[in-house]
Amino acid sequence: MVDFSLTDKVALITGASRGIGEAIAKALAGQGAKCILVSRKPEGLDKVAGEINQAGGQAETMACHAGYLDQIQALFDNVKEKHGKLDILVNNAATNPHFGELISAEESHWDKIMDVNLKGPFFMIQRAVPLMEAAGGGAILNVSSINGIKPAFMQGIYSISKAALISMTKAYAKELAPKKIRVNALLPGMTETKFSEAILGNKEIHDFVIQQIPMGRHAQPDEMAGAALYLVSDAASFTTGAYIICDGGMIA
Ligand SMILES: NC(=O)c1ccc[n+]([C@@H]2O[C@H](COP(=O)([O-])OP(=O)(O)OC[C@H]3O[C@@H](n4cnc5c(N)ncnc54)[C@H](OP(=O)(O)O)[C@@H]3O)[C@@H](O)[C@H]2O)c1
């Protein structure tokens, strides 16, 4: 039997207040997971949690800036106190404050991107491990990007961070396999969210990108949720250190 059910699994999803993180959280909750929705601002989180709970799922919210280790520590202390374990971690939150050439990037751009996109996931995983051991194992999903395989023009530092996140996925997968913790990545292509607003809202750039997508369109956030659900469920019980590309064929 292929098993996608997540009944009573405790799942923490970062960047769950909108976009791809919201879609993943709703998919996991739909399979019975108790979802802990995380981002910086409570308003968006409360809205998503309300929708999940109203639909018969289970969701709660915890605020945390993914770039600050003290907030990550407090987050995991809170999870330990409330649940005593963690089954699933989805590192989805990311940022990209620099759209421009690498040679004009400033130290602050580098630091912000690396703090949120890399340091955050690294320490979230480190702090999640003891809670997953308490659960007898677990599944971790890092939301990277096709830019991690093929750097996007004017998004260099972001692309570098996403390439390193793929490497981190593989490195942790090897180290954590004996602990029954699987670590995989999802590589979305162009998806309609607030994050991609600057690109999708500019007709010239949008048309340039769409021309490179064999399916001739960008994705909706829900189209990322199936691959995410597969990778964190027991259906993927022999899959670790891997990634799934959902990009309409763009980098094929
Ligand atoms: N959209 C695309 O085309 C695309 C393509 C490839 C990969 N991705 C990846 O997909 C993931 C989700 O992106 P998205 O498009 O869904 O973005 P989005 O709609 O802008 O959502 C970003 C989420 O991350 C949270 N967040 C931002 N900075 C944070 C921080 N410092 N600490 C904690 N949470 C933070 C935001 O909530 P708060 O503001 O409340 O913190 C929000 O919930 C990212 O990893 C992104 O790199 C997106």
Side-chain angles (χ1 to χ4, degrees), residues 14-21 38-42 64-67 91-95 112 116 143-146 158 162 187-196:
T14 70
S17 62
R18 58 176 189 257
I20 293 170
V38 174
S39 80
R40 290 165 303 177
K41 300 171 206 133
C64 174
H65 190 304
N91 276 314
N92 166 76
T95 192
K112 176 99 201 269
V116 176
V143 179
S144 177
S145 167
I146 53 168
Y158 171 78
K162 291 299 188 179
L187 277 55
M190 184 54 60
T191 307
E192 190 175 322
T193 67
K194 185 157 189 278
F195 196 81
S196 58

Side-chain angles (χ1 to χ4, degrees), residues 52-99:
I52 289 174
N53 291 325
Q54 202 159 28
Q58 301 177 75
E60 65 187 293
T61 68
M62 296 186 191
C64 174
H65 190 304
Y68 296 144
L69 189 50
D70 56 343
Q71 293 194 24
I72 292 172
Q73 184 62 53
L75 171 69
F76 281 88
D77 287 348
N78 202 358
V79 174
K80 185 178 179 188
E81 197 184 306
K82 279 202 171 155
H83 299 280
K85 67 155 189 171
L86 185 67
D87 301 283
I88 295 165
L89 168 65
V90 181
N91 276 314
N92 166 76
T95 192
N96 185 16
H98 183 249
F99 190 82

